Amino acid sequence: MKKLAMIFVLSLASSFAFSQNSASISTAQLKAAKSSGVYEFSVPEDITAEKVDAVKGYYKDYFSVSFNESTDVLKVTLLKNEESNLNVVNRLLVALDLRTINVGSENMTFMDMKDKYLK
């Protein structure tokens, strides 16, 4: 019985430990960003300036990143508004454990969002 209880507790703990967060962006923001190359994602409160600062330096050849911790807005400005740079934005989001994007009422992967709204 102890083994069953321990397995249950461990599986419950691991499901919370590996929960995924989502970023949000509106369809209007995506339309504007498609031409401007500036994307503003609303992110969960557990994303901190320290987390963003820890990963944003890896992507400085592709885009600049700013984060407003009081509004939880992650602003990504592409250096060149090209598809290759946009693909690297997905790496930034994954590095921040943001594996899905909410666009309106739809929850999708970054690549699905790109294919649907940015092609």
Side-chain angles (χ1 to χ4, degrees):
M1 188 64 173
K2 285 183 181 181
K3 287 182 182 180
L4 284 175
M6 186 58 124
I7 290 172
F8 176 73
V9 168
L10 289 175
S11 65
L12 188 61
S14 67
S15 67
F16 284 114
F18 296 109
S19 64
Q20 293 181 2
N21 294 318
S22 293
S24 300
I25 192 167
S26 70
T27 54
Q29 288 172 314
L30 284 172
K31 285 181 184 179
K34 184 176 180 180
S35 61
S36 70
V38 179
Y39 296 84
E40 292 189 0
F41 296 97
S42 296
V43 298
E45 289 182 3
D46 65 333
I47 302 298
T48 63
E50 291 80 24
K51 285 183 183 179
V52 173
D53 289 342
V55 298
K56 74 180 184 180
Y58 295 109
Y59 310 106
K60 62 185 175 190
D61 293 337
Y62 305 98
F63 48 78
S64 63
V65 178
S66 63
F67 180 62
N68 185 331
E69 200 162 7
S70 63
T71 61
D72 295 317
V73 172
L74 179 71
K75 183 177 179 181
V76 178
T77 304
L78 300 180
L79 297 181
K80 292 182 183 174
N81 199 1
E82 298 174 348
E83 186 173 358
S84 59
N85 287 0
L86 183 58
N87 289 334
V88 180
V89 173
N90 187 36
R91 292 187 204 166
L92 170 71
L93 296 175
V94 168
L96 294 170
D97 197 30
L98 300 169
R99 302 194 185 265
T100 57
I101 312 290
N102 290 323
V103 181
S105 61
E106 289 184 271
N107 194 16
M108 59 186 70
T109 66
F110 182 87
M111 297 310 282
D112 289 341
M113 177 200 71
K114 190 183 94 171
D115 290 343
K116 185 171 183 176
Y117 295 102
L118 302 174
K119 289 266 178 177

